[in-house]
Amino acid sequence: MDIIQNIILYLPTVIQYFLAFALLITIVVFIHELGHYSIGKMCGIGVETFSIGMGKQIWGRYDKSGTLWRVAILPIGGYVKFTGDEDPSGKKKDNSFNNLNHEKNFHNKSVWRKIATTAAGPIFNFILAIFIFSFIFFFRGESVLKPYVGDVVKNSPAYNANLKAGDEIISLNDQEIYTFNELREHIINSPNIEVELEIVRMGSLIRVPLTPEIIEGKDRFGSKYSSARIGIMGSQNPDHMELKKYGFIESIYRGSKETYNLSIKILAYLGKLITGRESVDQMGGPIKIIQISGEISNYGIIPLLALIAAISVNLGIINLLPIPVLDGGHLLYYSFEVLNGKPLSQKTQEIGMQIGMSLLIALMIFVTFLDISRL
């Protein structure tokens, strides 16, 4: 009886988490597939199916061009199936060259049209992120925390260097610092490397050398992380905070810059992961995404929009990885076609697809196991 009561008690939270996850994934996947669909249609390619979600169809209708627009029961993905494809993975039908709609067959188009159509999905994900970040910066502005020291962690590098609450940090290694976030970024990128801070204390300039230390811990979702720190917290004095407003063009610039910076961070993490310099503990799968989206939804629409933008950037980058089945794998095939003047053999492409599918399934099982182990 207690188990049933607990289930009923947590049911609203579970529903909230699931709905937030479904909204996030649906928007990100829809925009991704809309990129494939839009550019494909511009390139004269026929589209048989546009699906949001996977599994059994719960709604569908055909448009005037013969495309089936469908919504499936599982909000965990989606796909666009072009004319000439045997399945959503892009595998060519055996009779594709004899297809009745020969002029609309994806595989009969020029390699450059296939490249444009394939790359459009990830590109639309980046555009979505730029749009969301720009929207946030334009309508809400940006809360800027000035580089003043709040609290100093005992026995930290800052504590040992005699930094004090109220100090204003104006430069690091002679590079001017305008916000606390800028200082944090510089410190994160300088683990175990001595840096020199220039601070203002009681009207006097002081130079302070110190070396950021590496700390390890767990975030609120149970993921392990490591980071460099000097051991200070930003000041919570309202006089040290500023709401910066942006015009339309400035907002687009900041949205683009935010998308670029996030992309660089993701690529840097993947690079360190491949070379063994980073832990897999920061990775997450569907369970973690559900958990994060549910938690973030409690804080309002703006944080949820920011999460959608971040997931969109992640999806765009992951899809560009040169793994068969993913868009990046298809682009790799088309690159060989450009260089060699002819496509790879169907057999070679099918072997690559099988390897890519196996890798993706193994990765999904692995990240799901990580998610479960954190619960």
Side-chain angles (χ1 to χ4, degrees):
M1 194 69 178
D2 290 338
I3 295 177
I4 296 176
Q5 290 178 342
N6 287 333
I7 292 174
I8 294 174
L9 179 64
Y10 286 105
L11 191 58
T13 300
V14 172
I15 293 174
Q16 173 192 331
Y17 278 33
F18 178 78
L19 290 177
F21 169 79
L23 174 66
L24 185 154
I25 294 299
T26 299
I27 292 175
V28 171
V29 170
F30 175 77
I31 294 299
H32 179 93
E33 299 303 333
L34 185 64
H36 292 312
Y37 171 85
S38 301
I39 303 304
K41 294 286 283 187
M42 288 176 58
C43 292
I45 301 169
V47 181
E48 295 182 2
T49 307
F50 190 118
S51 178
I52 295 299
M54 307 294 286
K56 185 178 179 180
Q57 177 177 309
I58 57 176
W59 176 88
R61 64 178 291 272
Y62 287 91
D63 64 17
K64 293 180 180 179
S65 66
T67 300
L68 170 62
W69 293 77
R70 69 191 291 270
V71 176
I73 194 167
L74 298 176
I76 56 174
Y79 62 86
V80 166
K81 183 172 179 288
F82 291 112
T83 300
D85 287 343
E86 183 174 318
D87 53 49
S89 71
K91 180 181 178 182
K92 184 169 63 177
K93 286 182 180 178
D94 291 338
N95 64 341
S96 63
F97 281 93
N98 299 318
N99 193 285
L100 294 176
N101 296 318
H102 179 276
E103 73 281 359
K104 294 186 177 181
N105 190 312
F106 176 88
H107 300 280
N108 295 341
K109 296 297 181 180
S110 71
V111 65
W112 295 109
R113 294 194 180 196
K114 289 187 285 188
I115 288 175
T117 301
T118 302
I123 290 173
F124 268 51
N125 280 130
F126 296 125
I127 293 174
L128 172 63
I130 292 172
F131 174 80
I132 291 176
F133 284 135
S134 300
F135 175 88
I136 294 173
F137 286 125
F138 182 74
F139 287 100
R140 188 185 181 188
E142 182 179 16
S143 295
V144 176
L145 181 61
K146 297 177 182 178
Y148 284 86
V149 178
D151 295 326
V152 180
V153 178
K154 194 172 183 179
N155 297 324
S156 66
Y159 180 87
N160 296 330
N162 202 33
L163 262 67
K164 299 182 183 298
D167 288 346
E168 180 187 7
I169 301 172
I170 62 173
S171 73
L172 182 148
N173 292 341
D174 294 323
Q175 185 173 346
E176 288 186 276
I177 299 293
Y178 297 101
T179 69
F180 197 84
N181 278 337
E182 284 182 353
L183 174 65
R184 182 185 291 114
E185 289 295 323
H186 284 295
I187 295 301
I188 289 174
N189 293 324
S190 307
N192 296 324
I193 301 174
E194 184 177 272
V195 298
E196 186 176 64
L197 303 179
E198 187 175 23
I199 67 173
V200 177
R201 178 186 298 164
M202 305 290 290
S204 300
L205 285 177
I206 304 173
R207 287 186 173 272
V208 179
L210 50 74
T211 302
E213 63 181 353
I214 301 294
I215 60 165
E216 295 183 352
K218 288 186 177 182
D219 62 22
R220 61 192 298 182
F221 303 106
S223 299
K224 291 183 180 179
Y225 69 88
S226 62
S227 182
R229 71 161 192 178
I230 60 175
I232 62 172
M233 299 179 187
S235 172
Q236 298 303 306
N237 186 332
D239 293 336
H240 299 159
M241 298 180 187
E242 177 186 358
L243 181 61
K244 190 173 183 179
K245 303 293 288 185
Y246 294 98
F248 181 73
I249 301 300
E250 287 179 308
S251 297
I252 295 175
Y253 171 77
R254 280 293 290 119
S256 302
K257 186 177 180 181
E258 194 74 15
T259 301
Y260 172 79
N261 290 339
L262 182 56
S263 301
I264 294 299
K265 289 178 183 178
I266 295 170
L267 290 171
Y269 170 74
L270 290 175
K272 291 179 180 178
L273 190 65
I274 292 171
T275 58
R277 295 167 54 201
E278 192 61 82
S279 170
V280 298
D281 292 318
Q282 296 183 46
M283 297 177 65
I287 296 176
K288 185 172 183 180
I289 296 176
I290 291 174
Q291 186 181 15
I292 293 175
S293 56
E295 291 268 353
I296 292 295
S297 67
N298 290 320
Y299 296 96
I301 187 63
I302 296 298
L304 186 58
L305 284 174
L307 178 61
I308 291 173
I311 295 295
S312 190
V313 173
N314 273 272
L315 181 63
I317 289 177
I318 294 300
N319 262 280
L320 286 175
L321 295 179
I323 300 175
V325 177
L326 297 179
D327 294 329
H330 290 291
L331 292 173
L332 182 64
Y333 287 161
Y334 302 144
S335 298
F336 281 116
E337 185 173 343
V338 170
L339 294 174
N340 296 332
K342 61 180 181 179
L344 291 172
S345 68
Q346 186 70 13
K347 184 66 175 177
T348 301
Q349 293 188 43
E350 288 180 4
I351 292 174
M353 291 293 180
Q354 292 168 2
I355 294 173
M357 185 63 72
S358 299
L359 287 172
L360 285 182
I361 292 174
L363 180 61
M364 285 302 299
I365 293 174
F366 177 69
V367 295
T368 302
F369 174 78
L370 282 178
D371 288 349
I372 294 173
S373 68
R374 298 178 185 127
L375 296 177

